[in-house]
Amino acid sequence: MSATVTAVSSNGEYSFSKPNRESVRLLAGLGVEGDVHAGVTVKHRSRVAQDPTRPNLRQVHLIHEELFDELAGEGFTVTPGRLGENITTRGIDLLGLPVGTLLRVGEEAVLEVPGLRNPCVQIDAFQDGLLKQVVGRDAEGNLVRKAGIMSVVKEGGVVRPGDPVEVTLPSGPHRPLDRV
């Protein structure tokens, strides 16, 4: 099965969910055109409060649609854009990618993956009990974050549902993703 984009979402205002769009334009070094989280420096409110001058490693948020299938099995209804992601994918293990992975999305856009989304309590405000489904512990007691990955736009372009996603792994030893 090849990896594809199943939905794209953006919002020019701060809100937890993002409406689906026919397409989004990714801008190199900034993020999704017109999205509240686009910018060279951090835009997420909690990050701005800590240090507004830090680089924005959370320009584009991706979630694997397979997570929604898993959540449905636990009685939750989640659809693309509802957890605040910009790009929803199918057919790619986003959480298993190493730091520095490049994702070619559509014909032109290239994203670099620095790390995982750190799920917050807003997820429980969206649906009570959902946070426990997207954050847990593995058999060894290690924290597991399942709410997608964050990325930085290296090359811009338009992204639409149905676009392919191609993965280029970094050379050298691979480092697992951690929260950014």
Side-chain angles (χ1 to χ4, degrees):
M1 176 179 186
S2 60
T4 59
V5 173
T6 60
V8 294
S9 311
S10 67
N11 198 339
E13 299 176 12
Y14 281 105
S15 70
F16 183 70
S17 297
K18 296 181 187 268
N20 295 148
R21 308 289 182 192
E22 289 183 19
S23 66
V24 292
R25 178 176 301 281
L26 303 184
L27 304 174
L30 295 174
V32 178
E33 183 178 54
D35 192 83
V36 71
H37 294 116
V40 173
T41 57
V42 293
K43 299 301 176 200
H44 286 78
R45 289 177 174 168
S46 64
R47 305 285 195 246
V48 169
Q50 291 173 3
D51 181 355
T53 66
R54 294 194 51 108
N56 188 2
L57 302 179
R58 301 165 59 99
Q59 293 175 359
V60 181
H61 176 199
L62 295 90
I63 286 186
H64 51 296
E65 194 171 49
E66 292 86 351
L67 175 63
F68 304 155
D69 300 338
E70 179 184 325
L71 295 172
E74 298 297 324
F76 294 91
T77 302
V78 181
T79 56
R82 300 294 288 162
L83 294 181
E85 76 277 11
N86 301 108
I87 298 176
T88 310
T89 65
R90 184 166 284 280
I92 180 173
D93 178 12
L94 294 175
L95 305 178
L97 298 173
V99 171
T101 297
L102 296 178
L103 302 173
R104 176 170 292 282
V105 186
E107 294 181 17
E108 303 171 314
V110 176
L111 304 173
E112 183 173 353
V113 180
L116 298 168
R117 175 191 185 181
N118 191 31
C120 64
V121 295
Q122 287 183 330
I123 291 176
D124 266 349
F126 171 66
Q127 285 186 40
D128 190 43
L130 187 58
L131 184 59
K132 282 188 176 183
Q133 300 298 315
V134 298
V135 178
R137 302 257 175 206
D138 64 16
E140 290 80 40
N142 299 311
L143 191 63
V144 176
R145 295 173 178 90
K146 298 191 275 184
I149 63 172
M150 306 309 282
S151 64
V152 174
V153 183
K154 302 306 272 181
E155 296 179 30
V158 175
V159 177
R160 297 176 179 82
D163 280 349
V165 180
E166 298 174 18
V167 177
T168 303
L169 298 175
S171 59
H174 292 172
R175 291 185 301 130
L177 297 177
D178 198 1
R179 69 184 179 101
V180 292

